[in-house]
Amino acid sequence: MSQKIISNKTNLQVLYEDNHLIIVNKRAGDIVQGDKTGDKPLSEVVKEYIAEKYHKPGAVYLGVVHRLDRPTSGIIVFARTSKALPRLNKLFANKEAKKTYWAVVKKPPPEENGTLIHWLKRNPKQNKSYAHKNEVTDSKKAILDYTIIKKLNNYCILEIDLHTGRHHQIRSQLSYIGSVIKGDLKYGADRSNKDGSIHLHARKLTFIHPVKKEPLTIIAPPPSDAIWDETIK
């Protein structure tokens, strides 16, 4: 499952780029788009990369297509043209992009593989979603498939395919069944990771190129640490 890395600067790992889009491997801790923290977002880092590589004067166009939670790592797609952005937005909105995640959990799910179906209710003040077995007021249905792909001494690695894209869906649903993601204090982990990350990684993305109409499969290497390194051996 190896893939050529186009650029791997200290703060930017480019997985794919052409005239229409650029796909990068987000580090845990990076924000995709500017927020109230005032921290420099990944979108600005990508703009600087494009401006420098292609000697572009003035403002660089870059459209934000989707996001990942700040403590999560993995694949992020940006549009490089105003033509590509609405097409990518439609593709993601229509669930035509297949997303696969990896998660490290201490307590494995009850089965080797299965489907989780819950109703998630978001609490904006807490920036948290609560999973319910049955539908409750203002909740949204959330569905994912999981498979245990590797067992380590103290953890196991899950591969997760999303059917829906709800707020904190994977974190909330895994927490509900007791399989809390490593480092995820918000959803019940007993301790944080030293760098503030959680062990959730957007590993793979498959979709049809919005302009070229060719299938694209992108794979992002997980961050390098003792657990992730064991996963990809």
Side-chain angles (χ1 to χ4, degrees):
M1 296 178 76
S2 62
Q3 176 177 305
K4 181 182 178 182
I5 305 300
I6 294 173
S7 174
N8 194 1
K9 294 185 176 181
T10 304
N11 62 343
L12 187 67
Q13 188 179 79
V14 179
L15 302 172
Y16 175 90
E17 66 178 299
D18 61 23
N19 293 335
H20 308 285
L21 52 91
I22 181 167
I23 303 175
V24 302
N25 191 6
K26 184 181 97 66
R27 300 178 305 173
D30 286 346
I31 52 172
V32 175
Q33 200 169 23
D35 64 7
K36 61 185 178 182
T37 64
D39 295 340
K40 187 175 184 177
L42 183 59
S43 56
E44 290 302 313
V45 176
V46 174
K47 284 181 182 180
E48 291 175 358
Y49 163 83
I50 292 171
E52 179 183 342
K53 180 174 181 178
Y54 299 102
H55 309 290
K56 285 185 172 289
V60 171
Y61 179 89
L62 193 74
V64 176
V65 178
H66 65 122
R67 296 166 181 80
L68 284 175
D69 298 340
R70 186 163 191 168
T72 303
S73 59
I75 297 170
I76 287 287
V77 180
F78 295 100
R80 288 193 57 194
T81 65
S82 56
K83 179 181 181 180
L85 181 59
R87 295 184 183 187
L88 284 166
N89 285 339
K90 184 178 180 181
L91 187 145
F92 275 76
N94 292 341
K95 307 294 187 294
E96 293 170 3
K98 179 175 168 51
K99 302 175 184 177
T100 300
Y101 290 78
W102 280 359
V104 177
V105 300
K106 194 163 189 176
K107 180 184 175 183
E111 307 291 340
E112 289 288 317
N113 55 73
T115 299
L116 300 183
I117 302 175
H118 296 101
W119 293 86
L120 299 192
K121 184 170 182 176
R122 185 173 182 176
N123 184 320
K125 289 184 178 179
Q126 295 179 317
N127 188 31
K128 187 174 179 179
S129 288
Y130 290 87
H132 300 267
K133 189 174 182 179
N134 300 307
E135 185 175 7
V136 299
T137 304
D138 297 327
S139 63
K140 294 181 178 179
K141 196 173 188 179
I143 306 172
L144 64 78
D145 296 328
Y146 73 84
T147 301
I148 297 175
I149 58 171
K150 193 158 190 175
K151 291 183 177 179
L152 307 176
N153 288 336
N154 297 311
Y155 300 97
C156 75
I157 317 301
L158 306 181
E159 185 166 273
I160 297 158
D161 291 316
L162 287 178
H163 291 268
T164 53
R166 308 303 183 197
H167 175 259
H168 289 185
Q169 178 178 337
I170 297 173
R171 300 166 68 181
S172 180
Q173 288 193 269
L174 290 182
S175 174
Y176 184 89
I177 66 168
S179 299
V180 179
I181 295 170
K182 184 180 182 301
D184 198 356
L185 287 180
K186 184 183 284 284
Y187 285 92
D190 55 4
R191 66 182 66 181
S192 62
N193 292 335
K194 289 182 179 179
D195 61 359
S197 69
I198 64 173
H199 274 70
L200 178 62
H201 179 68
R203 169 66 171 171
K204 184 178 177 181
L205 183 67
T206 301
F207 62 99
I208 301 298
H209 193 290
V211 179
K212 297 179 180 179
K213 304 302 180 184
E214 299 170 349
L216 263 183
T217 296
I218 306 298
I219 296 171
S224 182
D225 67 23
I227 295 175
W228 285 129
D229 290 349
E230 279 294 313
T231 304
I232 57 177
K233 278 186 178 179

